[in-house]
Amino acid sequence: MARIGKKTELCQLQGEIVWTAYMAERTSCAVVISYSGETPILIRAAQVLKKHKVPIILITNIGESSLSRMADCVLPICTWEKQYSKIATFTTDSSIAYVLDVLYSCLFALDYEKNLQLKIDAAREIEQGRGQTTVEIIREE
């Protein structure tokens, strides 16, 4: 998102989630990711976002939850993994990555020419030290 001029904040610490929600500007849009839709700290953050009239896009499992009832838009993901007996989060991780990629591509497409030119100009200036590739298929003219 930053490469097309969209400011993003990612909460690394759970204790920062509600604080970040509180500080969000009304012109923001929160993307909340929760497999269960019932994580207490995310519910609290969503309550704060709603109070401050910040729209919420929720990426979560199929089905109704506390978070889905508060979200302005729900983007459901695959729910083949059980809550506790799953071996790993393979399908959840893939589903979340796919939905985030789609969101990015939709934002990019809203002002495609401007965003493409911004990316090209920035890459040409920033990536000068890479040198020219010898791989024909990826070489820029």
Side-chain angles (χ1 to χ4, degrees):
M1 292 293 185
R3 292 182 182 212
I4 60 170
K6 303 294 182 196
K7 183 181 171 190
T8 58
E9 290 191 41
L10 178 65
C11 295
Q12 299 289 344
L13 300 172
Q14 221 179 44
E16 292 295 309
I17 294 171
V18 179
W19 179 259
T20 301
Y22 183 83
M23 298 303 290
E25 297 175 13
R26 232 182 209 176
T27 57
S28 301
C29 178
V31 177
V32 177
I33 303 170
S34 173
Y35 183 73
S36 69
E38 297 296 343
T39 308
I41 191 110
L42 293 178
I43 292 169
R44 180 68 187 116
Q47 291 167 338
V48 170
L49 290 164
K50 292 305 282 182
K51 181 178 177 184
H52 291 239
K53 297 182 176 27
V54 175
I56 300 170
I57 297 172
L58 176 65
I59 301 172
T60 191
N61 68 48
I62 298 167
E64 194 170 315
S65 66
S66 298
L67 284 172
S68 68
R69 287 188 291 277
M70 286 188 268
D72 297 282
C73 175
V74 177
L75 302 174
I77 58 170
C78 178
T79 56
W80 286 100
E81 296 158 349
K82 297 292 185 187
Q83 187 173 5
Y84 302 116
S85 62
K86 62 183 171 250
I87 296 170
T89 58
F90 301 121
T91 59
T92 299
D93 293 347
S94 297
S95 296
I96 291 168
Y98 174 75
V99 171
L100 290 173
D101 285 346
V102 169
L103 282 173
Y104 173 78
S105 66
C106 290
L107 276 173
F108 195 102
L110 287 174
D111 201 348
Y112 181 83
E113 293 301 325
K114 177 185 163 207
N115 290 326
L116 180 61
Q117 196 58 55
L118 175 62
K119 278 205 53 24
I120 290 170
D121 293 345
R124 282 193 175 133
E125 185 171 332
I126 294 166
E127 298 177 17
Q128 286 179 6
R130 284 185 120 175
Q132 191 66 353
T133 183
T134 58
V135 180
E136 182 72 28
I137 197 166
I138 66 170
R139 185 178 7 214
E140 296 274 353
E141 299 302 324

